Amino acid sequence: MNSDNDLQIAGDLLEVPHLLQPPREHPATVAEFAGLARAIAADRAQWAGLVRYDATTRWYHRLRTGPGYEVWLLSWLPGQASGRHDHGRSSGVLTVLAGTLTEHTRRGGHALAPGAQRVFAPGYVHEVVNDTLEPAVSLHIYHPGLTEMPMLSPSRLRAAGAAPTAPSCEARPATA
């Protein structure tokens, strides 16, 4: 016996196109951006040959852009760090591709192994450090595209309730 709450669908749902959402050409949700990062991470041929290392500073390369977002590839030699910062009005997804990075937030440090992801909203304050003896590579997606990355001075850190850290290497663009 069927109750009033039972829903039965006869036939093939795929034959009812008006019930299906059209596939998106570009990601639009947090889950879709995280999925894009996982897909890029899984396709080593897309990024591994581009990676470079610089002994004086972190290296980075814009891998791709889409409507309102950017995808960046970064390399980290041992000891290189981002400095404590936020991402202005951008949200993002950080995915570790190789090596291990440590993310420091006001809640403490957390090691990020290959495949680990961090999703963050505007105003999220953190520092990323390679505190291992091996190089690391990470992928960063920003929406909207990254237009600012305010570094937090010790006075701003105290005002925000976070512990200051030592100055670190600045990032610079890759050369062709």
Side-chain angles (χ1 to χ4, degrees):
M1 172 177 223
N2 291 337
S3 72
D4 291 336
N5 294 332
D6 286 343
L7 173 63
Q8 294 183 350
I9 299 174
D12 185 356
L13 278 179
L14 298 178
E15 295 298 320
V16 191
H18 65 280
L19 294 178
L20 302 175
Q21 291 196 12
R24 295 187 233 258
E25 185 177 346
H26 296 283
T29 67
V30 171
E32 289 171 350
F33 281 111
L36 173 62
R38 284 190 302 276
I40 293 170
D43 186 4
R44 286 186 69 87
Q46 185 179 164
W47 56 267
L50 299 171
V51 175
R52 303 288 178 263
Y53 296 97
D54 186 322
T56 60
T57 186
R58 288 179 300 139
W59 169 91
Y60 62 90
H61 171 74
R62 186 167 44 200
L63 194 57
R64 76 165 71 158
T65 61
Y69 71 93
E70 298 177 326
V71 180
W72 290 88
L73 185 64
L74 282 78
S75 71
W76 311 73
L77 287 174
Q80 292 180 337
S82 65
R84 203 144 312 229
H85 66 279
D86 68 32
H87 301 92
R89 63 186 189 94
S90 298
S91 296
V93 177
L94 159 72
T95 304
V96 177
L97 303 178
T100 300
L101 294 170
T102 301
E103 180 189 39
H104 295 279
T105 66
R106 62 189 306 177
R107 293 184 174 169
H110 184 78
L112 304 172
Q117 288 189 305
R118 280 287 186 259
V119 175
F120 53 87
Y124 180 72
V125 176
H126 70 159
E127 177 178 30
V128 179
V129 180
N130 181 353
D131 56 10
T132 71
L133 298 176
E134 300 295 325
V137 179
S138 58
L139 183 82
H140 304 248
I141 300 177
Y142 300 106
H143 182 271
L146 193 61
T147 58
E148 60 181 319
M149 192 173 106
M151 302 304 289
L152 295 165
S153 67
S155 60
R156 281 187 65 199
L157 286 170
R158 280 191 291 279
T165 58
S168 61
C169 302
E170 292 294 320
R172 71 172 187 181
T175 55

